[in-house]
Amino acid sequence: MLLTRRHTPPMHAVDWCIISASIGAVTLIALWLRRYVKGVSGFLAADRCAGRYLLTLADGMAGMSAIGIIGVFQQQYHTGFGGSWWGGMLGPVGMIITLTGFIIYRFRETRALTMGQFFEMRYSKRFRVFAGMLAWTAGMLNYGVFPAVTARFIIYFCGLPVYLVALGPLQLNLTLGAVMALMLGTALSATLLGGHVVVMITDFIQAQFVNLVFMAVLVLLVVYFGWSDITETLKAHAPKGESMLNPFDRGSASDFSVWFFAIGAFNVVYTYMAWQGNQAYNCSARTPHDAKMARVLAVWRSGVTWTVISLLPICAFVLMHSTASAPAAAATHAALDAIADQTIHKQVLVPLALKQIMPAGLLGLFVAAMIACAISTDDTYLHSWGSIFIQDVLMPFRRTPFAPRQHMRLLRISIISVAVFAWVFGMLFTLREYIFMYWAITGAIYTGGAGAAIIGGFYWPRGTTAGAWAGMITGSVLGVLGT
């Protein structure tokens, strides 16, 4: 059975031209850059030639995923400035850590290509394989939802028709599959062509574009909404005990309470550099000092960037609740009412609200920016999880190293396998939880125990292999059960 539905009006022709041009530009840049990849070291770590400014923007862009932005939309729409205040408390913690060069300086000094390789240097080969399997499993489950969430944003925001086909008990969204294939294909082509060299430079270029687009969106919101309208609406419509202005009046909040942010502050220290989604950036700096300074600069940049992004869902909340924006709110409700799945409803609420006030041209730029965020994270994660499986799970069993050509072929096959898994996972699995909650669950599989092994390995001379095993197993089990 085949059904066709549109949830919002389609985009203008100029918007589609902008979106197509942005995707085409990434592909052309990747084709041009592939000439600079000379071997396995270049494919895995860009021959360790990255300077601090390149790393600041490229690594930051790799972490600014479209799904992460949608996650911020979900969180900030419910917490407002009250939650932002608690989240902002993490800023000084991150700055202090980066100024000391915590972990990153010493890791770069080891010249290890992966954290698993450091584990073998410090502990044992068996522990490297175990940690690699744990990191790869957590990473694959975590990344599996990325393409689907991004594709659904594109479908509902751009007003694409949704084609559903029933295959026995399964109901497959063909539009979702096509959009995911296009997004993953673009990221996959960039990754396969030049490894981390292409990934890093394309991420750097896309970061410049995204900064300009979000500044343009911010200007629009400042012109459209008055500050008094924002504060009065947040004050009038926040539930009791869940203030969106007063950070100390959030005792009744259940989804994103004060404890959510307190645990986040602890994790900033304990799990620092434990998550391996961007592992190639950790080893590609020219020197340990460049690696440290890139992290210092990234804290300032990300603070400003995410502050701008956090304002978007707050303005969307005002649009949905202010009497002055009643027509736009009504149009948004009409689009949301056509979406039966409440999880998707929460994911696209803020984008669909913002769409009501964006003019043609800016709509296309906003979608192009979100696609750039998605591609920059997709190519980084494809490269990371594909590389980790070969480097930390497969290679330790080899008595002799792979020949360079064989090594490159296996890396590419592994990366393709990650993309195929993400597509299949996205087609079959529907996320029912808040994005950040799902990340916490899947991430804890590895980071719950990795923090102890990493910190102990670098800063506790008396740490033993038995202690690393105990810390990894205990921390991971407690992390998953606690979540």
Side-chain angles (χ1 to χ4, degrees), residues 94-258:
M95 178 54 69
I96 293 171
I97 290 175
T98 55
L99 285 172
T100 63
F102 184 60
I103 297 180
I104 183 62
Y105 196 96
R106 296 192 178 190
F107 176 77
R108 179 61 185 83
E109 284 184 318
T110 67
R111 296 187 65 81
L113 287 172
T114 64
M115 188 61 71
Q117 186 177 353
F118 163 72
F119 284 154
E120 182 176 354
M121 297 175 184
R122 181 65 175 81
Y123 302 118
S124 69
K125 182 180 292 187
R126 289 184 178 181
F127 185 75
R128 174 185 184 177
V129 174
F130 175 74
M133 279 296 300
L134 214 56
W136 182 80
T137 301
M140 293 291 281
L141 292 174
N142 182 277
Y143 176 62
V145 301
F146 280 48
V149 172
T150 303
R152 288 192 177 96
F153 158 78
I154 295 172
I155 291 169
Y156 292 105
F157 191 89
C158 297
L160 297 178
V162 178
Y163 296 94
L164 300 177
V165 60
L167 296 177
L170 295 177
Q171 191 177 58
L172 301 181
N173 186 334
L174 299 184
T175 309
L176 177 69
V179 175
M180 281 199 300
L182 175 62
M183 298 293 296
L184 284 169
T186 304
L188 187 62
S189 62
T191 310
L192 295 179
L193 283 171
H196 193 53
V197 172
V198 172
V199 168
M200 186 167 54
I201 297 178
T202 53
D203 287 358
F204 176 85
I205 295 172
Q206 289 178 106
Q208 313 289 344
F209 171 70
V210 170
N211 286 344
L212 294 175
V213 172
F214 278 113
M215 287 303 298
V217 174
L218 179 62
V219 170
L220 170 68
L221 297 179
V222 169
V223 172
Y224 191 88
F225 297 100
W227 183 250
S228 60
D229 293 335
I230 294 176
T231 55
E232 291 301 321
T233 303
L234 295 180
K235 185 186 298 183
H237 294 276
K240 185 178 180 180
E242 300 181 28
S243 175
M244 302 183 76
L245 290 172
N246 184 359
F248 298 100
D249 184 23
R250 293 192 50 79
S252 301
S254 58
D255 291 328
F256 295 100
S257 64
V258 174

Side-chain angles (χ1 to χ4, degrees), residues 61-62 64-67 143 145-148 150-151 179-180 182-188 190-191 199 203 277 370-385 415 418-419 422:
M61 187 62 188
M64 191 190 298
S65 58
I67 187 176
Y143 176 62
V145 301
F146 280 48
T150 303
V179 175
M180 281 199 300
L182 175 62
M183 298 293 296
L184 284 169
T186 304
L188 187 62
T191 310
V199 168
D203 287 358
M370 292 290 284
I371 290 175
C373 292
I375 291 175
S376 65
T377 304
D378 285 340
D379 55 23
T380 301
Y381 271 47
L382 291 173
H383 182 272
S384 294
W385 304 128
I415 290 169
V418 174

